[in-house]
Amino acid sequence: MLKKYWIYILYFILNLYNVVSAQNFPKHNYIDFSTDRSTWFFKSDLKNNKIIFSDFFSPFDPTVKVEYFDPLVSFELENNYYFNSNGNLMVEISDLKKIYDPYFDYKILKDTLEIKYTYYDKKIVQGFGKRSTSIEYIKKTWNIMVDSKKNKTKISGKYSYTEYQPAFGGRNKPFDNNVEIAEDKGFKNIKFKLNADSIEIKDNKYYISVSEIMGLTNIKTIKENGYIAIQIKNLADVTENIEREGVVSKTIIPRASNLWRSGNVEKLNNYTWADYMNDIIANKRDYGWKWKGIYIPSGSHFKDADGNEITLEANRIVPYTMYIPKNYTKKESRLVYILHGGTGNENASLYRTMDRGKNLDVYAEKYNYIFVSPNGWTQNPMWMHRQALYSFEKSFDSIMEEYPVDKNKIFIMGNSLGGRGAFDITMRYPTLFKAMVSTAPAWGVKEHSQWKQSKYSVQDIKELPSLIGIGTLDKTFSFKTEIGNKEELGWLTKDVVPVLSNAKYLAVERGNHSQNWGSILDIIFEFFEENLKEKNKESIPDIKSLENKEFVSLKELKKVLGDDFKYYNVNSYDNKPEEALDYITIIYKNFCINLVPGELKYRKNFERYKEDSNSRTKDEDKLDFTPRFSKAPYVDGEDLYILTKDILEILF
């Protein structure tokens, strides 16, 4: 009888140990990252290797469509992975933690290995492809205990599984992390036996079989085209074809055999994901799109808004995108940083220009530019500090080591929170960049709206050559919020315009918030290029030679006014390409004019007029009418003619 009671007591102690042990692990509450991964690829025909690849799983961020290239992020492990005697993939456990961080933790106590792994099943239930979405997610947690003392053929262990009730959240909505356990869906202390070589200890490091141990969770293993893929088992909820505005969005299931989409410049036939990964491993990919991951650890690696060291939780592989031009050289190539905004990630800026039929890789080749777009850690990135600033700094160090450029040929640009980020980062590194472009800068958003700091100021970059652009149909902030009116200045006209002494201010007619800058890429890159040229002594233009002409052509103005005079054909629209506006932008020194041939009205810089007011703004009484030419500019042949008296009065 006593023996029987001891058995119950021992069982109680073991279960108590399991509960206490599990409670020592972090809770793995949900964190809203700007990107997620469903699959990791390991090359299967190498004995020792460190480089692995992850996919970009677009439905996890429904505002980012990846339809032009396939982002496969390379990441270097600390330890070589290998294949055991049964051909199973063996990964050192601290490396496996990095792969599945921040939802993976482990402990090794004597001869027992304990693992806690959490996964969030997510499904978009409303607003797919919109700025604000509703997401249903279900938290699933596995606690695995493995006895590493093994006999000749098997090792034993047990695991428990807990599933939580569905919770709801979304962009700019709080996520509920304290959801009730659904007891009827959970099971506990399921015993298992694995092959004896499922755990191997080498140099005091634990290597585990991913297929066998992680196979107890929601991870499956796929062998294909020379790669082992470890992938989430059920992707149906987030990979289904979803119709958006009459168009079905098709998601590619990650496979090594998939044909790799390469953007616009490269034309690759029958080139697979495996081919791409092979070329990266062999260091044969000399140009084109590439992606790389940086591991951001927790700890005192970060800075606050004033540059003071702070400690944060992180533990995440964060990617950055790069494009390397065919003619890259350290001496001749330029580097431009492109910062994404609140609904994006490292790929957002690139695809949004492609959505407008503008391919950034074409510009990279034309002007010999390296593009780098870091991941801002989460939605609504705050580039001025914390993990987003760390992501910039580490990606910059990495790119300058791998593809260095002349330090006088480094630029930065960004849109929305990325446009604000361009200010933030240049204020922290005021001598690093040759020039800055900021479009639709989110000057007064959330943390930035009451941004009072003692260390950094727009004054620090007052002489930095800058181009500030905004769309006149920006519905996210509204043109009114950005520019204001005669009685109440907007955040740009109040905080930026009075300070920057070397800036151009440009309105993008009919430009929306997210994609306005795709309409002015020619202007942006020529702006960068003009700041690489040595400034000649300013010459006094011979405008008297034009005074006897009633109309003067743009070509004639260019001859008289020189390199300071530029003009561009711009095609811009809000959301519907069929409603695009073709107009001309004239830039002379730091003065900008938008005009439409055949129309009298024009716009100076990014001024706002009565005609820009609408039912939402209701402030036309505080605005002036749009200025007008005396006679409408007209096109004759391939040139545009403007009344000479008008244009000289405007420019001088």
Side-chain angles (χ1 to χ4, degrees):
M1 182 69 89
L2 190 60
K3 284 185 179 179
K4 183 178 179 181
Y5 285 121
W6 272 112
I7 290 171
Y8 284 120
I9 292 168
L10 182 60
Y11 181 78
F12 173 78
I13 291 170
L14 286 173
N15 275 282
L16 181 63
Y17 169 77
N18 290 344
V19 171
V20 172
S21 180
Q23 287 176 345
N24 288 334
F25 283 117
K27 289 184 177 180
H28 292 176
N29 287 336
Y30 183 78
I31 300 174
D32 184 21
F33 291 106
S34 58
T35 184
D36 265 306
R37 311 282 151 174
S38 73
T39 309
W40 290 87
F41 295 93
F42 297 73
K43 193 164 175 57
S44 58
D45 57 358
L46 294 180
K47 247 187 175 179
N48 298 303
N49 194 29
K50 290 185 178 180
I51 297 177
I52 62 173
F53 298 86
S54 66
D55 69 315
F56 169 78
F57 197 33
S58 56
F60 282 136
D61 183 350
T63 63
V64 179
K65 306 182 295 294
V66 180
E67 299 169 357
Y68 308 100
F69 44 64
D70 293 312
L72 291 172
V73 178
S74 65
F75 179 72
E76 187 168 349
L77 302 174
E78 289 291 326
N79 304 277
N80 289 309
Y81 63 83
Y82 64 93
F83 298 90
N84 65 15
S85 56
N86 287 317
N88 290 329
L89 173 65
M90 304 294 290
V91 180
E92 198 274 328
I93 195 162
S94 66
D95 283 329
L96 194 65
K97 174 174 167 56
K98 287 183 180 179
I99 291 171
Y100 289 112
D101 261 342
Y103 304 134
F104 185 102
D105 284 284
Y106 69 93
K107 290 187 293 190
I108 300 169
L109 300 173
K110 293 186 178 180
D111 296 316
T112 302
L113 169 65
E114 297 181 48
I115 293 172
K116 179 180 179 181
Y117 164 67
T118 299
Y119 177 74
Y120 286 88
D121 232 348
K122 293 195 281 188
K123 181 177 181 180
I124 299 155
V125 293
Q126 188 177 358
F128 188 94
K130 305 297 182 183
R131 296 188 66 84
S132 293
T133 58
S134 294
I135 298 175
E136 174 192 275
Y137 69 92
I138 299 173
K139 182 177 181 179
K140 301 177 178 182
T141 298
W142 290 262
N143 284 91
I144 303 171
M145 297 180 64
V146 184
D147 185 355
S148 58
K149 284 193 303 183
K150 50 197 174 187
N151 59 32
K152 291 182 180 179
T153 58
K154 297 290 180 183
I155 60 174
S156 61
K158 56 186 173 182
Y159 70 97
S160 64
Y161 166 78
T162 305
E163 184 172 315
Y164 292 71
Q165 295 282 6
F168 296 89
R171 184 171 185 267
N172 298 328
K173 301 182 184 76
F175 282 87
D176 181 8
N177 290 315
N178 301 309
V179 291
E180 181 183 341
I181 296 176
E183 295 287 357
D184 57 326
K185 292 189 175 181
F187 49 89
K188 298 181 181 299
N189 299 326
I190 305 298
K191 294 180 179 180
F192 60 82
K193 289 190 180 295
L194 302 174
N195 291 321
D197 58 359
S198 294
I199 294 180
E200 295 184 347
I201 303 173
K202 296 183 175 183
D203 300 324
N204 294 319
K205 294 181 178 180
Y206 273 65
Y207 291 80
I208 72 171
S209 167
V210 176
S211 61
E212 292 195 284
I213 293 181
M214 294 304 291
L216 298 168
T217 68
N218 64 334
I219 303 298
K220 64 181 178 180
T221 304
I222 302 166
K223 243 185 212 188
E224 193 179 63
N225 283 42
Y227 280 84
I228 300 290
I230 55 176
Q231 186 176 81
I232 305 301
K233 284 178 182 174
N234 297 307
L235 301 178
D237 283 347
V238 286
T239 58
E240 61 188 351
N241 293 340
I242 298 178
E243 186 172 316
R244 295 177 300 178
E245 297 179 1
V247 178
V248 174
S249 175
K250 295 181 180 178
T251 301
I252 294 177
I253 302 295
R255 291 286 186 271
S257 59
N258 290 345
L259 290 179
W260 189 75
R261 295 175 296 183
S262 56
N264 188 72
V265 169
E266 290 183 272
K267 304 298 179 186
L268 301 172
N269 296 318
N270 301 317
Y271 188 81
T272 65
W273 284 24
D275 293 327
Y276 170 86
M277 293 187 287
N278 289 341
D279 285 347
I280 294 292
I281 289 173
N283 202 25
K284 288 182 178 178
R285 187 159 177 77
D286 298 323
Y287 76 93
W289 295 110
K290 298 169 71 174
W291 290 261
K292 203 167 189 177
I294 304 164
Y295 185 75
I296 300 184
S298 294
S300 56
H301 309 282
F302 308 98
K303 299 168 187 171
D304 67 11
D306 285 317
N308 302 311
E309 187 180 276
I310 55 173
T311 298
L312 293 174
E313 294 295 317
N315 297 337
R316 182 77 172 176
I317 295 174
V318 177
Y320 67 89
T321 307
M322 54 182 146
Y323 185 89
I324 311 302
K326 291 179 181 178
N327 296 320
Y328 161 76
T329 64
K330 178 179 178 180
K331 183 179 179 182
E332 297 299 330
S333 295
R334 301 95 157 93
L335 168 65
V336 59
Y337 254 78
I338 304 174
L339 305 182
H340 70 79
T343 58
N345 56 36
E346 70 278 6
N347 299 304
S349 301
L350 314 176
Y351 91 78
R352 281 174 177 154
T353 57
M354 291 174 170
D355 266 4
R356 298 189 84 89
K358 301 278 189 173
N359 295 291
L360 277 176
D361 45 7
V362 173
Y363 287 86
E365 296 297 342
K366 179 179 178 180
Y367 294 103
N368 199 356
Y369 271 82
I370 296 171
F371 295 143
V372 180
S373 185
N375 183 293
W377 178 257
T378 187
Q379 298 199 71
N380 297 328
M382 298 298 163
W383 295 101
M384 62 180 169
H385 61 7
R386 303 170 71 89
Q387 294 99 332
L389 180 61
Y390 184 96
S391 180
F392 162 76
E393 292 173 335
K394 290 303 175 183
S395 63
F396 183 81
D397 292 343
S398 178
I399 198 75
M400 288 297 282
E401 181 179 348
E402 190 174 4
Y403 295 102
V405 299
D406 184 326
K407 290 186 177 180
N408 290 311
K409 295 179 179 178
I410 300 173
F411 302 90
I412 191 168
M413 63 191 293
N415 187 72
S416 188
L417 271 174
R420 176 62 202 238
F423 276 92
D424 291 330
I425 290 177
T426 54
M427 284 188 277
R428 279 147 185 74
Y429 298 99
T431 62
L432 181 59
F433 301 99
K434 192 73 174 176
M436 170 187 73
V437 171
S438 175
T439 53
W443 199 260
V445 174
K446 293 188 176 178
E447 291 182 38
H448 289 307
S449 61
Q450 301 298 323
W451 187 24
K452 305 293 183 186
Q453 349 177 51
S454 58
K455 188 169 182 181
Y456 304 104
S457 165
V458 182
Q459 290 285 345
D460 298 330
I461 55 169
K462 63 181 180 180
E463 296 179 2
L464 179 71
S466 302
L467 173 65
I468 316 299
I470 52 176
T472 62
L473 293 183
D474 188 332
K475 296 180 180 66
T476 301
F477 299 136
S478 86
F479 200 19
K480 176 185 178 181
T481 302
E482 295 163 317
I483 304 304
N485 52 50
K486 288 189 288 186
E487 293 184 11
E488 186 178 357
L489 297 177
W491 63 48
L492 292 178
T493 47
K494 180 175 63 176
D495 294 337
V496 174
V497 174
V499 180
L500 296 185
S501 61
N502 194 11
K504 304 179 195 293
Y505 300 102
L506 179 66
V508 182
E509 305 297 333
R510 293 192 190 172
N512 66 18
H513 179 72
S514 295
Q515 296 167 307
N516 69 87
W517 65 287
S519 299
I520 56 170
L521 287 175
D522 292 323
I523 297 174
I524 288 171
F525 283 99
E526 286 203 18
F527 170 72
F528 287 153
E529 288 297 295
E530 76 182 42
N531 280 287
L532 291 174
K533 298 173 184 174
E534 285 193 21
K535 300 291 182 184
N536 297 322
K537 269 191 173 181
E538 190 170 335
S539 57
I540 300 173
D542 182 18
I543 59 174
K544 287 188 176 180
S545 63
L546 303 173
E547 288 177 352
N548 293 327
K549 292 177 174 287
E550 183 182 10
F551 282 85
V552 61
S553 73
L554 295 181
K555 288 181 181 177
E556 289 175 299
L557 282 169
K558 175 75 176 169
K559 285 181 183 177
V560 172
L561 301 180
D563 290 341
D564 286 334
F565 183 86
K566 296 178 174 61
Y567 56 93
Y568 304 87
N569 294 311
V570 181
N571 176 274
S572 181
Y573 60 90
D574 181 14
N575 292 317
K576 298 179 181 178
E578 63 271 19
E579 296 178 1
L581 176 68
D582 290 307
Y583 64 95
I584 290 172
T585 292
I586 295 172
I587 299 177
Y588 181 61
K589 297 183 178 178
N590 284 344
F591 192 85
C592 304
I593 305 172
N594 290 345
L595 63 89
V596 177
E599 292 189 9
L600 289 172
K601 63 183 182 181
Y602 63 91
R603 188 187 305 277
K604 295 190 295 184
N605 300 321
F606 54 27
E607 289 182 352
R608 185 169 167 261
Y609 306 115
K610 283 184 183 292
E611 290 87 339
D612 296 311
S613 182
N614 54 49
S615 58
R616 289 178 63 194
T617 58
K618 298 178 181 178
D619 65 340
E620 62 271 12
D621 58 322
K622 300 172 185 175
L623 297 166
D624 293 326
F625 282 107
T626 302
R628 282 163 166 72
F629 295 111
S630 302
K631 294 183 180 179
Y634 66 90
V635 175
D636 187 3
E638 295 183 354
D639 211 345
L640 180 130
Y641 289 79
I642 306 178
L643 197 69
T644 305
K645 178 175 175 292
D646 283 352
I647 191 65
L648 293 182
E649 283 182 357
I650 293 168
L651 296 179
F652 296 98

